[in-house]
Amino acid sequence: MIEPSDGAPPDSGMTLVEVLVAMGLFGVLASILLGLGLSTQAVTEDTRDRTGVNEEARIAMERIAREVRQSAGLDSVTLPGTPAGHTSTSFTFWTDFNNDGARTNTASDPEVMTYEWDPDTEELSMTAVTGLATVTRPVLAATVTSFVVEPRSSRWQYDQVGGACSCADGITTWRELDNSAVGNYNSEPDPQELRFADLLFVSMTVEDGNGTQTYSTQIDLRNRS
């Protein structure tokens, strides 16, 4: 047998214990890297989904604001409890898109529209009157957990009429109109109050991944007749 020239012991390779320790360390490192990769992927997908929901909700709010701003006014507003037992939230308006002064209800150019939120299905939909029929379509694919509508007025003289506070807050709601000389005291936003409503507050809460996002706007009905 030939001995090493430098007198060092012969290389006997790695022992079984060393191999097992190396495999264990490699497994731990691989698990850490895999977990980091999966976590990064989950965050990326969640961010992409939230971005999509946010963009969809933003576009929906802009659409509602644009259509209502151009409308001739609110035809009707139905809120939870008005009338008693009602649960959904909706409002109907007419927008003279073709400027002919008439309510066009054809399938190609519907001008009378209703936005409605159903708390049971948590869906926001839009219904258009098309002649003798109506067509209803969902506005958002995302889940809408809350949809608040409040007709308001710029008639500040009715602000806080019948309210608990003696000071004005700068917002005249349909309830304050209803409790004033121009209302009918029936606790419903009916035509008696809507004829003075030239503002519409809309707030929508949408499920956004594991959380929610709320979008709010106040629309000036500048074309109200």
Side-chain angles (χ1 to χ4, degrees), residues 52-111:
V53 170
N54 290 338
E55 183 66 14
E56 185 183 22
R58 184 186 62 81
I59 292 175
M61 286 294 286
E62 289 180 352
R63 173 183 175 180
I64 293 173
R66 181 178 65 254
E67 292 173 346
V68 174
R69 186 178 297 114
Q70 296 174 347
S71 73
L74 298 169
D75 285 354
S76 64
V77 175
T78 304
L79 304 176
T82 59
H86 193 80
T87 59
S88 65
T89 300
S90 67
F91 62 95
T92 302
F93 60 95
W94 164 50
T95 303
D96 190 11
F97 290 119
N98 57 11
N99 296 315
D100 64 352
R103 297 188 176 217
T104 304
N105 293 327
T106 63
S108 60
D109 188 24
E111 294 183 343

Side-chain angles (χ1 to χ4, degrees), residues 6 107 157 175:
D6 58 359
Q157 65 268 35
R175 292 185 183 277

Side-chain angles (χ1 to χ4, degrees), residues 180-196:
S180 71
V182 298
N184 56 10
Y185 301 91
N186 69 345
S187 299
E188 293 184 16
D190 49 29
Q192 184 78 10
E193 292 79 42
L194 294 182
R195 62 193 175 117
F196 296 101

Side-chain angles (χ1 to χ4, degrees), residues 154-218:
S154 59
R155 306 249 179 149
W156 315 127
Q157 65 268 35
Y158 302 119
D159 186 13
Q160 288 296 328
V161 171
C165 177
S166 60
C167 57
D169 62 357
I171 299 175
T172 303
T173 67
W174 70 267
R175 292 185 183 277
E176 291 171 324
L177 291 173
D178 184 58
N179 292 327
S180 71
V182 298
N184 56 10
Y185 301 91
N186 69 345
S187 299
E188 293 184 16
D190 49 29
Q192 184 78 10
E193 292 79 42
L194 294 182
R195 62 193 175 117
F196 296 101
D198 51 8
L199 302 168
L200 182 67
F201 173 79
V202 179
S203 179
M204 175 175 62
T205 302
V206 181
E207 278 193 1
D208 182 6
N210 295 325
T212 58
Q213 289 285 343
T214 300
Y215 306 83
S216 302
T217 185
Q218 179 167 278

